[in-house]
Amino acid sequence: MSGDLKVIGRAGLAPFTSLKVGGVAECLAEAFTTEGLKRALCNGATLLGKGSNVLCGDVDGIVVLNRTSEVSVEGNTVLAESGVGLIALSRFAASRNLGGLEWACGIPGSLGGAAKMNASAFGGSFADKLTALYIFEDGREVRVPKSEIKFAYRKGCDKPVLRAEFVLNYRPREESERIMRELTARRFAAQPKGHSLGSVFKNPSGFGLKSAGYYIEKCGFGGKEYKGLSVSEKHANFILNTGGAKPKDFLTLVEIIRSAVFGEFGIKLENEFESIGDIL
Ligand SMILES: Cc1cc2nc3c(=O)[nH]c(=O)nc-3n(C[C@H](O)[C@H](O)[C@H](O)COP(=O)(O)OP(=O)(O)OC[C@H]3O[C@@H](n4cnc5c(N)ncnc54)[C@H](O)[C@@H]3O)c2cc1C
């Protein structure tokens, strides 16, 4: 144990996810610095950011919570550790009259999770203003320019991310704040409150296809309950934990929905969330 890396020991993972459902980690640790994160990764740790897009089962070995938080600014270049939250970074950038991250103001993930998922919202995406990622490869930190990373819809970097570098544009603070207020209002109008992983399924791609939520709604799932879970009436692509659900129950409900949508519309919905560990 050191100031960089704190070992907690065997622990439940539910509190560290936005769904508040999860299995048990054989060894949970917290990394407060990039050095600590590297040490955990050298020991084969599985990374957890803010847990807002991951269903956790039982995990053998180490799970490391990424608590890194350093941000530095030089001109309009921002370099941030991967544990920094998207919400915090978009607000911080705005406070420095730097724009381009406003789209991220309501996404409860870390930069590392966003790099993996290529998080996006309201026409903006993680890759837009990114210039490079610092990843952990072969035991060392390597700077990888954006051009070498193949970003696609909900697909980003598949290596452990230590830092992200952005070049932002100058924008008066008040303008960024106005944009963020508008986007927050749109998010509140469209999405339910409560414990969730955000959108459960990716939107299907193809000419004339609608959102995943549209098909789930049409199959009559809006408001349906299943073992401590509830499909949101407001946004049918959100499953809320209403209490007592297990990781397996979440997966079962996901399969019930997937198979109903396939049966009705012939569309095979793909998971948007990630899973770690054994979900039994
Ligand atoms: C209410 C709500 C609203 C949401 N809205 C949106 C939205 O509008 N748009 C959107 O895109 N997403 C949205 N999400 C999903 C989620 O917030 C994003 O995908 C976010 O980027 C995940 O970041 P995280 O830190 O929570 O990742 P986690 O859930 O902790 O991890 C997700 C995956 O990334 C991996 N990972 C974590 N950290 C790193 C790292 N440093 N390096 C490499 N891999 C890593 C994990 O191992 C896991 O596989 C929403 C979620 C919620 C709960």
Side-chain angles (χ1 to χ4, degrees), residues 16 18-19 37 46-55 66 82-83 86 103 106-122 154 157-162 187 191-192 194-199 238 272 274-276:
F16 306 105
S18 55
L19 185 64
L37 201 56
T46 302
L47 261 169
L48 201 58
K50 297 207 180 283
S52 64
N53 208 30
V54 72
L55 182 66
N66 186 353
S82 58
L86 286 171
W103 61 272
I107 303 182
S110 67
L111 293 180
K116 164 115 190 224
M117 308 306 304
N118 190 20
S120 65
F122 304 115
R154 294 296 174 268
C157 181
D158 54 10
K159 301 269 169 47
V161 173
L162 303 176
R187 191 176 279 277
Q191 295 181 0
H195 301 308
S196 78
L197 293 181
S199 292
F238 275 55
E272 177 160 332
E274 297 280 308
S275 301
I276 59 171

Side-chain angles (χ1 to χ4, degrees), residues 181-192:
R181 271 197 306 277
E182 278 175 24
L183 297 182
T184 303
R186 281 169 65 185
R187 191 176 279 277
F188 280 153
Q191 295 181 0

Side-chain angles (χ1 to χ4, degrees), residues 72-79 96 98 166 170:
S72 63
V73 186
E74 215 178 300
N76 58 345
T77 300
V78 174
L79 180 65
R96 298 293 188 101
L98 293 172
F166 303 90
Y170 290 103

Side-chain angles (χ1 to χ4, degrees), residues 57-269:
D58 294 331
V59 184
D60 291 336
I62 306 166
V63 172
V64 64
L65 302 174
N66 186 353
R67 308 287 203 202
T68 61
S69 59
E70 290 280 314
V71 182
S72 63
V73 186
E74 215 178 300
N76 58 345
T77 300
V78 174
L79 180 65
E81 287 184 317
S82 58
V84 172
L86 286 171
I87 296 173
L89 192 67
S90 58
R91 286 188 187 149
F92 172 80
S95 76
R96 298 293 188 101
N97 297 304
L98 293 172
L101 294 177
E102 294 86 352
W103 61 272
C105 69
I107 303 182
S110 67
L111 293 180
K116 164 115 190 224
M117 308 306 304
N118 190 20
S120 65
F122 304 115
S125 79
F126 181 81
D128 291 349
K129 298 288 174 190
L130 186 79
T131 43
L133 288 176
Y134 290 73
I135 64 166
F136 194 60
E137 192 167 44
D138 300 329
R140 61 198 181 94
E141 187 167 347
V142 182
R143 184 182 186 276
V144 185
K146 178 170 83 171
S147 56
E148 290 178 21
I149 306 161
K150 289 192 174 56
F151 284 105
Y153 173 53
R154 294 296 174 268
K155 194 188 163 313
C157 181
D158 54 10
K159 301 269 169 47
V161 173
L162 303 176
R163 304 174 214 267
E165 180 191 281
F166 303 90
V167 172
L168 302 177
N169 41 287
Y170 290 103
R171 180 175 282 155
R173 174 187 189 145
E174 299 71 32
E175 197 181 325
S176 289
E177 286 176 349
R178 180 188 55 75
I179 296 170
M180 292 196 286
R181 271 197 306 277
E182 278 175 24
L183 297 182
T184 303
R186 281 169 65 185
R187 191 176 279 277
F188 280 153
Q191 295 181 0
K193 291 202 172 106
H195 301 308
S196 78
L197 293 181
S199 292
V200 172
F201 298 101
K202 294 180 192 171
N203 288 323
S205 59
F207 182 72
L209 292 181
K210 297 191 187 309
S211 69
Y214 170 88
Y215 298 107
I216 300 166
E217 177 74 48
K218 284 286 169 207
C219 286
F221 282 106
K224 284 277 182 307
E225 310 224 332
Y226 177 82
K227 294 193 177 178
L229 298 163
S230 162
V231 179
S232 167
E233 269 182 305
K234 194 169 182 180
H235 190 318
N237 200 11
F238 275 55
I239 296 177
L240 302 169
N241 171 20
T242 49
K246 303 270 184 297
K248 176 79 183 161
D249 302 328
F250 188 87
L251 274 194
T252 304
L253 180 55
V254 163
E255 291 313 325
I256 291 170
I257 294 172
R258 194 187 336 269
S259 113
V261 170
F262 187 70
E264 192 70 20
F265 297 101
I267 294 167
K268 186 138 194 248
L269 294 177

